[in-house]
Amino acid sequence: MQLDMIAYAKDPNSKTIYLVPNHTSPILRRSVKDLLNTYLGGDYKEINLLAGTSDLKSWFKNGFPTVFSFE
């Protein structure tokens, strides 16, 4: 799980969690969505990284399941 954008929210009152589909595992994203639905009311959105990448790309390319979320 990549957590390199903690406290990134432009709006400090926002409770939305963003899930990045780039170089991440659909099964792990589904698990995180299930957790968010159960414990936080499902306030999430999927958003692609439009430029650059994250540290998890090398893990994903080597076959490890990955998930990337930020708030």
Side-chain angles (χ1 to χ4, degrees):
M1 176 176 261
Q2 183 69 23
L3 297 171
D4 67 354
M5 291 173 56
I6 302 302
Y8 176 77
K10 292 178 184 176
D11 176 3
N13 297 315
S14 173
K15 296 190 186 291
T16 302
I17 302 292
Y18 296 90
L19 298 171
V20 177
N22 309 57
H23 305 109
T24 61
S25 308
I27 291 174
L28 283 182
R29 281 197 322 273
R30 177 75 260 158
S31 294
V32 170
K33 289 176 188 178
D34 290 344
L35 288 168
L36 291 171
N37 282 327
T38 300
Y39 295 104
L40 298 177
D43 192 7
Y44 63 84
K45 294 179 184 175
E46 284 198 8
I47 185 168
N48 285 306
L49 290 180
L50 300 178
T53 188
S54 186
D55 299 337
L56 60 81
K57 183 177 180 180
S58 59
W59 292 93
F60 182 79
K61 284 187 154 193
N62 283 286
F64 292 93
T66 58
V67 68
F68 180 3
S69 60
F70 65 95
E71 75 280 353

